[in-house]
Amino acid sequence: MRISAKKLQDYPLYLRPFFWNQNRKYGMVLKPALLWARIPRLFTTVALLFGALDSRKSAITPSLRSMITVRVSQINWCEFCVDVNSYMYAKRAGEESKLEALSEWRESPLFDEHEKVVLEYVDAITFSDRQVTDAEMEELRKYYDEDGIVELTGLIAFQNMSSKFNSALDVPSQGFCRISSKKT
């Protein structure tokens, strides 16, 4: 990593429950959390936003949320994000075949029309040489109301921020999943 993490005891006491929860959920503290936590107010804000986007009341299914985060992470070359989000997808969906085909989702018969519409939107937002079109928005409206589209857009934007942060700071994979981070 390009920036070092502090020792756990050097972080404020009020952040330690977050680290304890990550250790319980993943078996270790996540390296990006230790970097964000160098600035506690940023860490707290990012953690709250992530919690709001990963809600059980979401219009987006948990497995699709994880697929979205993997796709954004592939595009942004974030090894850590592909790793942890692939792990979450496999856990939520109970399979990995779609992850293995995700970089070629347009050509793959594994993805249904709903997933393809969402992945097209993901690509339009994430690739810097593209913009969302009115036609793509109309396709999304077949599956989501306006609140759902806002939530979907927020998730994609959050994952772009997160994966670009981790990629810039060269946060490595922590060994959760074997899926590669192929870009295209």
Side-chain angles (χ1 to χ4, degrees), residues 116-134:
K116 287 183 176 189
V117 165
V118 169
L119 291 169
E120 187 66 41
Y121 190 59
V122 168
D123 285 8
I125 292 172
T126 305
F127 282 108
S128 61
D129 63 344
R130 294 212 28 214
Q131 289 188 346
V132 174
T133 66
D134 290 340

Side-chain angles (χ1 to χ4, degrees), residues 54-98:
D54 202 40
S55 168
R56 292 179 188 193
K57 296 179 182 178
S58 176
I60 309 158
T61 65
S63 60
L64 184 56
R65 284 195 310 265
S66 292
M67 183 187 299
I68 289 164
T69 60
V70 173
R71 180 64 183 144
V72 170
S73 301
Q74 287 176 329
I75 295 166
N76 290 326
W77 292 91
C78 180
E79 292 287 334
F80 170 82
C81 301
V82 170
D83 179 36
V84 73
N85 292 315
S86 293
Y87 166 77
M88 289 306 298
Y89 175 83
K91 188 174 172 181
R92 289 171 167 176
E95 62 93 22
E96 292 183 1
S97 60
K98 287 183 180 179

